[in-house]
Amino acid sequence: MRLRTSGVLLHFSSLPSRYGIGDFGPEAHAFARLLARTGQTIWQFLPLNPTSPGIGNSPYSSPSAFAGNILFISPELLLEEGFVTQGDIDAANAETFFHHEGESATRVEYDRVHRQRDVLLRKAYDTSRGTLETDASFAAFVNDNRYWLEDYARFATIKGAHDGAEWTKWPEPLARRDASALAAWDAAEREAMQRERFCQYLFYRQWKKLRGISTKLGLRLVGDVPIYVTHDSADVWANTRLFKLDEAGLPTVVAGVPPDYFSPTGQRWGNPLYDWDAIAGDNFLWWTRRLMHNLAMFDCVRLDHFRGFAGYWEVPAEEETAMNGRWVEAPGYALFSALARRLVSMPIIAEDLGVITPDVRELQRALGFPGMAVLQFGFGGNLLENPHTPYMQHRSQVVYTGTHDNPPTRGWFAQNATPDEKAKLAAYTGSAVTEENVAATMMRLALASVADMAVIPAQDILNLDMASRMNTPSTTEGNWCWRLLPGQLSDDSMAWFMENTAFFGRHAGIRKEA
């Protein structure tokens, strides 16, 4: 029997909360129950790795591909589980000049939230450190995650002790990972490293609770894995031979994409590129560990920039834009074959947007990964040659009105859609399309699609405008900040979406646990 599903794209940072950013606490649990009550089966979100104000707070630029973002640790759950008191929370707020927000808090203030969480988590550690040596749960977490956790704890503490300097600017013995220097650091900074382990323990403890609730509700959690990692990260510092770096540890070539819909000069992401020969020499161990880590966390993974596993755009590091790059072949089939030998199944969505060549399609078909169709791209050019046009879509796809890189559909129609796209959209639907009704129109097209899965950004369900945009590619300011107001996404605001998911055969039914 064919299974048609639907759900919502909403990152955790965008949830309401009393503490400056959405987290894994009560509002996340409430949203999971809301999805279940309205017959949804999918909750998709962005990467959950640490973010940094120094690199734009992007979840796609992180100091670790394995660690969790401690900003998502819920103060309410820390209080509930006895790690902190209400007095501790109040003191952390006072120390960082943090005040509980009123109903006007629609943006994340990352600097403020980082300071507040740091003070609170230090208090939680001080409360717990005396019992950690005999805490079997903590010991099991550290043991199971040792392959990444130890180097992350080192990286975070060394970086903190050197005023946040990039690892290439640390004292050479530490930058070069001299064994005696690392041993001395481990001994001298034992307490600081243990605190980093403890924070990760809290993150994964709270995540496990939310995952359990979601599973009982019949939800599938769809995570996101960026293809590239940040140069100033524990991943690169601990595995320099797996990347194309010079003798000083700096990238010789960097990642990006050629000119496309989003940017006429391409996108120079700046991430170091993999030395695939070195990675293959390890039987793809680092990559298989990374993917298995994420597939254990989530029910399904969206693999960002999938085309980079067939061929990637290599830009000389000295170039200021991505225009003067070149395509280089990547060993995607060998990588996923190595992963398949260790897993029963690979529930992966291939983000196949952008410049897609026949080798990418061949790899995708060989692996059986569903791709993506984005309706905001579906009405440009020759519709018979446009894979995003509704009648060109197919079952093995996930259809979206837009992604986190697109404007909300209402904003797209008002500011980005061309007159030709608007005319084709109206002709396709056979009715007038306006700024007021375009989000509903596009959602209906997505739900009606033959694609087995339809995912709608929360902004489109709420018919929000450009002020709610999550990210504008090739910009570094003002992204990743949008948040819901308390009660904004509710049974009432989801009613139309629930009715239409049922009509188009995607309704999972209301689950009793909700």
Side-chain angles (χ1 to χ4, degrees):
M1 180 178 175
R2 179 176 177 182
L3 181 64
R4 285 168 61 79
T5 61
S6 62
V8 177
L9 171 60
L10 178 68
H11 194 40
F12 286 92
S13 63
S14 296
L15 287 166
S17 81
R18 300 178 64 209
Y19 298 102
I21 189 171
D23 55 41
F24 294 158
E27 290 286 352
H29 298 179
F31 180 65
R33 291 191 293 271
L34 174 64
L35 289 175
R37 284 199 305 275
T38 55
Q40 307 308 313
T41 48
I42 305 296
W43 180 358
Q44 184 173 335
F45 38 84
L46 309 184
L48 301 184
N49 307 110
T51 56
S52 169
I55 44 179
N57 303 301
S58 171
Y60 294 89
S61 299
S62 177
S64 174
F66 295 87
N69 189 343
I70 62 171
L71 300 186
F72 296 149
I73 297 173
S74 163
E76 286 102 330
L77 294 188
L78 291 179
L79 175 63
E80 179 183 303
E81 296 175 348
F83 289 106
V84 299
T85 67
Q86 185 61 53
D88 294 331
I89 295 175
D90 294 341
N93 293 343
E95 185 173 338
T96 58
F97 301 101
F98 178 94
H99 303 286
H100 290 319
E101 297 154 325
E103 302 224 343
S104 62
T106 58
R107 308 289 287 175
V108 180
E109 294 182 36
Y110 281 97
D111 287 332
R112 186 177 69 165
V113 175
H114 270 283
R115 293 194 302 271
Q116 191 266 357
R117 287 298 199 276
D118 181 65
V119 172
L120 187 60
L121 291 172
R122 285 176 182 271
K123 182 60 181 179
Y125 175 70
D126 289 341
T127 300
S128 305
R129 63 181 173 182
T131 61
L132 288 182
E133 297 294 338
T134 57
D135 186 331
S137 176
F138 177 71
F141 170 78
V142 171
N143 184 65
D144 292 345
N145 294 279
R146 191 172 299 277
Y147 65 95
W148 65 265
L149 184 57
E150 293 308 291
D151 277 320
Y152 177 70
R154 289 183 180 124
F155 180 87
T157 54
I158 297 171
K159 189 174 182 65
H162 292 87
D163 298 322
E166 297 179 11
W167 66 264
T168 53
K169 297 177 181 177
W170 296 348
E172 186 169 347
L174 291 173
R176 299 286 183 178
R177 295 178 57 82
D178 176 78
S180 60
L182 292 182
W185 184 268
D186 292 351
E189 301 297 331
R190 178 183 179 279
E191 199 75 30
M193 288 179 60
Q194 187 77 326
R195 186 169 60 244
E196 293 293 339
R197 297 185 193 100
F198 177 70
C199 289
Q200 290 301 307
Y201 168 68
L202 293 177
F203 172 93
Y204 281 98
R205 179 188 176 99
Q206 292 193 2
W207 172 255
K208 184 178 180 180
K209 181 174 184 176
L210 178 60
R211 174 83 187 276
I213 290 170
S214 299
T215 299
K216 287 182 180 179
L217 291 170
L219 295 178
R220 295 184 69 206
L221 301 180
V222 180
D224 198 319
V225 176
I227 182 173
Y228 295 119
V229 297
T230 304
H231 175 255
D232 189 24
S233 66
D235 311 290
V236 177
W237 172 67
N239 302 280
T240 53
R241 65 186 185 83
L242 303 182
F243 298 87
K244 294 183 177 181
L245 309 175
D246 61 22
E247 290 185 0
L250 298 172
T252 56
V253 288
V254 296
V257 290
D260 61 7
Y261 170 89
F262 291 114
S263 173
T265 60
Q267 297 178 50
R268 183 193 182 280
W269 296 333
N271 307 76
L273 289 169
Y274 298 106
D275 185 332
W276 283 112
D277 289 339
I279 292 173
D282 276 351
N283 196 28
F284 302 98
L285 178 63
W286 184 86
W287 255 107
T288 54
R289 278 179 166 173
R290 184 187 184 194
L291 288 171
M292 290 177 69
H293 174 83
N294 281 275
L295 289 168
M297 286 184 69
F298 313 123
D299 298 297
C300 180
V301 163
R302 171 191 178 272
L303 197 51
D304 192 49
H305 196 59
F306 177 78
R307 76 135 300 116
F309 293 102
Y312 56 91
W313 191 246
E314 180 184 273
V315 181
E318 63 272 12
E319 291 286 337
E320 293 184 1
T321 73
M323 295 182 69
N324 297 320
R326 64 175 186 134
W327 289 111
V328 180
E329 186 176 353
Y333 189 78
L335 164 61
F336 290 104
S337 296
L339 180 64
R341 289 192 288 271
R342 304 182 67 176
L343 294 172
V344 174
S345 65
M346 293 189 292
I348 291 173
I349 298 168
E351 187 273 283
D352 55 350
L353 308 177
V355 180
I356 302 301
T357 48
D359 57 328
V360 182
R361 292 291 177 223
E362 183 179 345
L363 176 63
Q364 190 177 345
R365 283 193 295 268
L367 297 171
F369 295 165
M372 295 172 58
V374 179
L375 286 172
Q376 287 185 24
F377 301 151
F379 298 93
N382 184 341
L383 300 192
L384 285 169
E385 297 176 353
N386 185 342
H388 303 280
T389 300
Y391 62 64
M392 296 299 290
Q393 294 166 17
H394 51 86
R395 286 182 58 182
S396 184
Q397 277 185 311
V398 184
V399 61
Y400 301 80
T401 50
T403 74
H404 65 274
D405 281 334
N406 292 86
T409 295
R410 181 172 185 152
W412 166 79
F413 188 85
Q415 298 185 31
N416 295 106
T418 65
D420 182 61
E421 288 174 317
K422 292 179 180 180
K424 287 176 179 173
L425 175 58
Y428 193 95
T429 60
S431 59
V433 181
T434 66
E435 182 180 341
E436 181 60 37
N437 71 15
V438 65
T441 299
M442 295 282 260
M443 284 193 289
R444 201 168 191 277
L445 288 175
L447 295 170
S449 169
V450 297
D452 283 339
M453 186 187 299
V455 179
I456 309 299
Q459 294 96 317
D460 286 351
I461 294 173
L462 295 169
N463 196 24
L464 300 181
D465 60 19
M466 201 66 92
S468 66
R469 183 167 188 167
M470 193 63 168
N471 180 52
T472 303
S474 298
T475 66
T476 57
E477 299 294 330
N479 296 318
W480 320 111
C481 296
W482 172 73
R483 295 177 66 199
L484 288 162
L485 291 170
Q488 190 173 13
L489 204 55
S490 64
D491 292 88
D492 288 343
S493 61
M494 289 279 286
W496 182 95
F497 189 50
M498 179 176 69
E499 292 168 5
N500 280 271
T501 54
F503 181 80
F504 289 108
R506 299 183 185 274
H507 197 280
I510 298 175
R511 272 81 89 197
K512 293 181 181 179
E513 294 87 345

